[in-house]
Short mmCIF file of all heavy atoms in Angstrom, two decimals:
data_model
loop_
_atom_site.label_atom_id
_atom_site.label_comp_id
_atom_site.label_asym_id
_atom_site.label_seq_id
_atom_site.Cartn_x
_atom_site.Cartn_y
_atom_site.Cartn_z
N ARG G 2 113.06 108.47 100.21
CA ARG G 2 113.93 107.28 100.27
C ARG G 2 113.47 106.18 99.31
O ARG G 2 114.30 105.45 98.77
CB ARG G 2 113.95 106.72 101.70
CG ARG G 2 114.46 107.70 102.75
CD ARG G 2 114.66 107.01 104.10
NE ARG G 2 113.39 106.50 104.65
CZ ARG G 2 113.20 105.23 104.96
NH1 ARG G 2 114.15 104.32 104.78
NH2 ARG G 2 112.03 104.85 105.47
N PHE G 3 112.17 106.05 99.14
CA PHE G 3 111.62 104.99 98.29
C PHE G 3 111.05 105.60 97.01
O PHE G 3 110.52 106.71 97.03
CB PHE G 3 110.49 104.25 99.01
CG PHE G 3 110.91 103.41 100.18
CD1 PHE G 3 112.20 103.47 100.71
CD2 PHE G 3 110.01 102.53 100.77
CE1 PHE G 3 112.58 102.70 101.79
CE2 PHE G 3 110.37 101.74 101.84
CZ PHE G 3 111.66 101.83 102.36
N THR G 4 111.12 104.83 95.93
CA THR G 4 110.55 105.25 94.66
C THR G 4 109.76 104.10 94.06
O THR G 4 110.31 103.01 93.88
CB THR G 4 111.63 105.70 93.68
OG1 THR G 4 112.40 106.77 94.26
CG2 THR G 4 111.01 106.19 92.37
N ILE G 5 108.50 104.36 93.74
CA ILE G 5 107.66 103.35 93.13
C ILE G 5 107.58 103.61 91.63
O ILE G 5 107.57 104.77 91.20
CB ILE G 5 106.24 103.35 93.76
CG1 ILE G 5 105.44 102.14 93.28
CG2 ILE G 5 105.50 104.66 93.48
CD1 ILE G 5 104.13 101.96 94.04
N SER G 6 107.55 102.54 90.86
CA SER G 6 107.42 102.69 89.40
C SER G 6 106.68 101.47 88.86
O SER G 6 106.66 100.41 89.48
CB SER G 6 108.80 102.82 88.75
OG SER G 6 109.60 101.68 89.01
N ARG G 7 106.10 101.65 87.69
CA ARG G 7 105.38 100.55 87.06
C ARG G 7 105.61 100.58 85.57
O ARG G 7 105.83 101.65 84.98
CB ARG G 7 103.89 100.59 87.39
CG ARG G 7 103.15 101.76 86.83
CD ARG G 7 101.71 101.84 87.36
NE ARG G 7 100.82 100.90 86.68
CZ ARG G 7 99.52 100.79 86.99
NH1 ARG G 7 99.00 101.52 87.97
NH2 ARG G 7 98.76 99.93 86.35
N ASP G 8 105.52 99.41 84.96
CA ASP G 8 105.61 99.27 83.51
C ASP G 8 104.28 98.66 83.07
O ASP G 8 104.04 97.47 83.27
CB ASP G 8 106.79 98.37 83.14
CG ASP G 8 107.02 98.30 81.64
OD1 ASP G 8 106.02 98.33 80.88
OD2 ASP G 8 108.18 98.20 81.22
N ASN G 9 103.42 99.48 82.51
CA ASN G 9 102.09 99.02 82.14
C ASN G 9 102.14 97.97 81.02
O ASN G 9 101.27 97.10 80.95
CB ASN G 9 101.23 100.20 81.72
CG ASN G 9 100.90 101.11 82.88
OD1 ASN G 9 100.83 100.68 84.03
ND2 ASN G 9 100.73 102.40 82.60
N ALA G 10 103.12 98.06 80.17
CA ALA G 10 103.22 97.10 79.07
C ALA G 10 103.64 95.72 79.57
O ALA G 10 103.18 94.70 79.05
CB ALA G 10 104.22 97.60 78.03
N LYS G 11 104.49 95.70 80.58
CA LYS G 11 104.98 94.44 81.13
C LYS G 11 104.20 93.99 82.37
O LYS G 11 104.43 92.90 82.87
CB LYS G 11 106.46 94.56 81.48
CG LYS G 11 107.36 94.82 80.29
CD LYS G 11 108.82 94.90 80.71
CE LYS G 11 109.72 95.14 79.51
NZ LYS G 11 111.15 95.24 79.91
N ASN G 12 103.31 94.85 82.84
CA ASN G 12 102.53 94.54 84.05
C ASN G 12 103.43 94.24 85.24
O ASN G 12 103.24 93.24 85.96
CB ASN G 12 101.57 93.38 83.79
CG ASN G 12 100.52 93.72 82.77
OD1 ASN G 12 99.87 94.77 82.86
ND2 ASN G 12 100.37 92.87 81.77
N THR G 13 104.39 95.11 85.44
CA THR G 13 105.29 94.96 86.56
C THR G 13 105.27 96.21 87.43
O THR G 13 104.96 97.31 86.96
CB THR G 13 106.74 94.70 86.11
OG1 THR G 13 107.15 95.76 85.25
CG2 THR G 13 106.84 93.38 85.37
N LEU G 14 105.61 96.02 88.67
CA LEU G 14 105.64 97.10 89.66
C LEU G 14 106.92 96.95 90.45
O LEU G 14 107.26 95.86 90.89
CB LEU G 14 104.43 96.99 90.60
CG LEU G 14 104.34 98.00 91.72
CD1 LEU G 14 103.98 99.38 91.16
CD2 LEU G 14 103.32 97.56 92.75
N ASP G 15 107.64 98.05 90.62
CA ASP G 15 108.90 98.02 91.35
C ASP G 15 108.87 99.00 92.51
O ASP G 15 108.11 99.98 92.50
CB ASP G 15 110.06 98.38 90.43
CG ASP G 15 110.33 97.31 89.38
OD1 ASP G 15 110.02 96.15 89.64
OD2 ASP G 15 110.87 97.66 88.31
N LEU G 16 109.71 98.73 93.48
CA LEU G 16 109.90 99.65 94.60
C LEU G 16 111.39 99.71 94.89
O LEU G 16 111.98 98.74 95.37
CB LEU G 16 109.15 99.18 95.85
CG LEU G 16 109.20 100.15 97.04
CD1 LEU G 16 108.40 101.42 96.72
CD2 LEU G 16 108.66 99.49 98.31
N GLN G 17 112.00 100.85 94.58
CA GLN G 17 113.40 101.08 94.90
C GLN G 17 113.48 101.67 96.30
O GLN G 17 112.89 102.72 96.55
CB GLN G 17 114.04 102.02 93.89
CG GLN G 17 115.50 102.35 94.17
CD GLN G 17 116.40 101.14 94.05
OE1 GLN G 17 116.27 100.35 93.13
NE2 GLN G 17 117.33 100.99 95.01
N MET G 18 114.19 100.97 97.17
CA MET G 18 114.27 101.39 98.57
C MET G 18 115.72 101.73 98.90
O MET G 18 116.60 100.87 98.84
CB MET G 18 113.77 100.27 99.48
CG MET G 18 112.37 99.81 99.17
SD MET G 18 111.72 98.59 100.35
CE MET G 18 112.84 97.23 100.05
N ASN G 19 115.94 103.00 99.21
CA ASN G 19 117.27 103.47 99.56
C ASN G 19 117.30 103.94 101.02
O ASN G 19 116.25 104.18 101.61
CB ASN G 19 117.70 104.61 98.64
CG ASN G 19 117.77 104.20 97.19
OD1 ASN G 19 118.10 103.06 96.86
ND2 ASN G 19 117.46 105.13 96.30
N SER G 20 118.49 104.08 101.54
CA SER G 20 118.67 104.57 102.92
C SER G 20 117.77 103.81 103.89
O SER G 20 117.07 104.41 104.72
CB SER G 20 118.37 106.07 102.98
OG SER G 20 119.21 106.79 102.12
N LEU G 21 117.79 102.51 103.78
CA LEU G 21 116.91 101.68 104.60
C LEU G 21 117.23 101.79 106.08
O LEU G 21 118.40 101.95 106.46
CB LEU G 21 117.00 100.22 104.14
CG LEU G 21 116.22 99.93 102.85
CD1 LEU G 21 116.71 98.66 102.20
CD2 LEU G 21 114.73 99.86 103.15
N LYS G 22 116.19 101.71 106.88
CA LYS G 22 116.29 101.80 108.33
C LYS G 22 115.76 100.53 108.96
O LYS G 22 114.92 99.84 108.36
CB LYS G 22 115.48 102.99 108.83
CG LYS G 22 115.83 104.33 108.20
CD LYS G 22 114.87 105.41 108.67
CE LYS G 22 115.20 106.76 108.03
NZ LYS G 22 114.26 107.83 108.48
N PRO G 23 116.19 100.22 110.18
CA PRO G 23 115.65 99.01 110.84
C PRO G 23 114.14 99.02 110.94
O PRO G 23 113.50 97.95 110.86
CB PRO G 23 116.31 99.09 112.23
CG PRO G 23 117.61 99.78 111.99
CD PRO G 23 117.29 100.83 110.95
N GLU G 24 113.54 100.20 111.06
CA GLU G 24 112.08 100.27 111.15
C GLU G 24 111.38 99.97 109.83
O GLU G 24 110.16 99.89 109.79
CB GLU G 24 111.62 101.63 111.70
CG GLU G 24 112.23 102.83 111.00
CD GLU G 24 113.46 103.38 111.72
OE1 GLU G 24 114.31 102.56 112.17
OE2 GLU G 24 113.57 104.62 111.80
N ASP G 25 112.14 99.81 108.76
CA ASP G 25 111.56 99.39 107.49
C ASP G 25 111.39 97.87 107.43
O ASP G 25 110.81 97.34 106.47
CB ASP G 25 112.44 99.82 106.32
CG ASP G 25 112.50 101.34 106.16
OD1 ASP G 25 111.45 101.99 106.29
OD2 ASP G 25 113.61 101.86 105.90
N THR G 26 111.88 97.16 108.42
CA THR G 26 111.76 95.71 108.45
C THR G 26 110.30 95.30 108.50
O THR G 26 109.53 95.75 109.35
CB THR G 26 112.49 95.15 109.68
OG1 THR G 26 113.89 95.40 109.56
CG2 THR G 26 112.26 93.64 109.81
N ALA G 27 109.90 94.46 107.55
CA ALA G 27 108.51 94.03 107.44
C ALA G 27 108.38 93.04 106.28
O ALA G 27 109.33 92.86 105.51
CB ALA G 27 107.59 95.23 107.19
N VAL G 28 107.21 92.46 106.18
CA VAL G 28 106.85 91.73 104.96
C VAL G 28 106.19 92.73 104.03
O VAL G 28 105.26 93.44 104.43
CB VAL G 28 105.90 90.56 105.25
CG1 VAL G 28 105.51 89.87 103.96
CG2 VAL G 28 106.56 89.57 106.21
N TYR G 29 106.69 92.81 102.81
CA TYR G 29 106.18 93.76 101.83
C TYR G 29 105.28 93.02 100.84
O TYR G 29 105.65 91.97 100.30
CB TYR G 29 107.34 94.42 101.09
CG TYR G 29 108.01 95.48 101.93
CD1 TYR G 29 108.77 95.15 103.05
CD2 TYR G 29 107.89 96.84 101.62
CE1 TYR G 29 109.37 96.11 103.84
CE2 TYR G 29 108.49 97.81 102.40
CZ TYR G 29 109.22 97.44 103.50
OH TYR G 29 109.81 98.41 104.28
N TYR G 30 104.11 93.61 100.61
CA TYR G 30 103.11 93.01 99.74
C TYR G 30 102.82 93.92 98.55
O TYR G 30 102.66 95.13 98.71
CB TYR G 30 101.81 92.79 100.49
CG TYR G 30 101.90 91.82 101.64
CD1 TYR G 30 102.22 92.27 102.92
CD2 TYR G 30 101.66 90.46 101.45
CE1 TYR G 30 102.31 91.39 103.98
CE2 TYR G 30 101.74 89.57 102.51
CZ TYR G 30 102.06 90.05 103.78
OH TYR G 30 102.14 89.18 104.83
N CYS G 31 102.66 93.30 97.41
CA CYS G 31 102.21 93.99 96.21
C CYS G 31 100.68 93.91 96.16
O CYS G 31 100.09 92.87 96.48
CB CYS G 31 102.84 93.30 95.00
SG CYS G 31 102.29 93.89 93.40
N ARG G 32 100.06 94.99 95.77
CA ARG G 32 98.59 95.05 95.69
C ARG G 32 98.18 95.66 94.36
O ARG G 32 98.79 96.61 93.88
CB ARG G 32 98.04 95.88 96.83
CG ARG G 32 96.53 96.04 96.88
CD ARG G 32 96.17 96.93 98.05
NE ARG G 32 94.74 97.08 98.26
CZ ARG G 32 94.00 98.04 97.72
NH1 ARG G 32 94.55 98.92 96.92
NH2 ARG G 32 92.71 98.11 98.00
N LEU G 33 97.12 95.13 93.80
CA LEU G 33 96.64 95.59 92.50
C LEU G 33 95.13 95.72 92.54
O LEU G 33 94.45 94.89 93.15
CB LEU G 33 97.08 94.56 91.45
CG LEU G 33 96.63 94.65 90.02
CD1 LEU G 33 97.63 93.90 89.13
CD2 LEU G 33 95.26 94.06 89.79
N THR G 34 94.61 96.75 91.91
CA THR G 34 93.17 96.95 91.81
C THR G 34 92.75 96.85 90.36
O THR G 34 93.36 97.47 89.48
CB THR G 34 92.77 98.32 92.36
OG1 THR G 34 93.18 98.42 93.72
CG2 THR G 34 91.27 98.52 92.27
N GLN G 35 91.71 96.07 90.13
CA GLN G 35 91.19 95.86 88.78
C GLN G 35 89.67 95.90 88.90
O GLN G 35 89.05 94.94 89.36
CB GLN G 35 91.66 94.51 88.24
CG GLN G 35 91.23 94.21 86.83
CD GLN G 35 91.62 92.80 86.42
OE1 GLN G 35 91.31 91.84 87.13
NE2 GLN G 35 92.30 92.67 85.30
N GLY G 36 89.08 97.02 88.50
CA GLY G 36 87.65 97.18 88.66
C GLY G 36 87.28 97.13 90.14
O GLY G 36 87.81 97.87 90.95
N ILE G 37 86.40 96.21 90.48
CA ILE G 37 85.96 96.09 91.87
C ILE G 37 86.81 95.09 92.65
O ILE G 37 86.56 94.84 93.83
CB ILE G 37 84.49 95.66 91.96
CG1 ILE G 37 84.29 94.28 91.32
CG2 ILE G 37 83.59 96.70 91.31
CD1 ILE G 37 82.90 93.70 91.53
N TYR G 38 87.81 94.52 91.98
CA TYR G 38 88.60 93.46 92.61
C TYR G 38 89.97 93.98 93.07
O TYR G 38 90.55 94.88 92.47
CB TYR G 38 88.82 92.31 91.62
CG TYR G 38 87.54 91.68 91.17
CD1 TYR G 38 87.02 91.95 89.90
CD2 TYR G 38 86.83 90.82 92.00
CE1 TYR G 38 85.83 91.39 89.48
CE2 TYR G 38 85.63 90.25 91.59
CZ TYR G 38 85.14 90.55 90.33
OH TYR G 38 83.95 89.99 89.92
N THR G 39 90.43 93.38 94.15
CA THR G 39 91.75 93.68 94.70
C THR G 39 92.52 92.38 94.84
O THR G 39 91.98 91.38 95.33
CB THR G 39 91.65 94.36 96.06
OG1 THR G 39 90.97 95.60 95.92
CG2 THR G 39 93.04 94.63 96.65
N TYR G 40 93.77 92.40 94.41
CA TYR G 40 94.60 91.22 94.48
C TYR G 40 95.86 91.54 95.27
O TYR G 40 96.40 92.67 95.20
CB TYR G 40 95.00 90.75 93.08
CG TYR G 40 93.83 90.34 92.22
CD1 TYR G 40 93.23 91.24 91.35
CD2 TYR G 40 93.32 89.04 92.29
CE1 TYR G 40 92.16 90.87 90.57
CE2 TYR G 40 92.24 88.66 91.49
CZ TYR G 40 91.67 89.59 90.64
OH TYR G 40 90.59 89.22 89.87
#
């Protein structure tokens, strides 16, 4: 149902969410790892 993609040149991250269900209700967070750091 979901597809994740990234553009390394633009430093963007996308999440295409299809066929959504009520149980998908939530706050969605983007996370990135760079060396020993997490953002």
Side-chain angles (χ1 to χ4, degrees):
R2 300 189 297 122
F3 291 10
T4 303
I5 190 171
S6 60
R7 66 188 282 179
D8 186 326
N9 292 331
K11 297 181 179 179
N12 295 311
T13 57
L14 178 72
D15 291 333
L16 185 69
Q17 178 65 44
M18 304 185 295
N19 299 327
S20 301
L21 283 160
K22 305 175 181 180
E24 50 264 43
D25 294 318
T26 295
V28 178
Y29 283 69
Y30 297 90
C31 174
R32 180 182 184 269
L33 173 157
T34 301
Q35 183 186 51
I37 62 172
Y38 300 104
T39 298
Y40 298 94

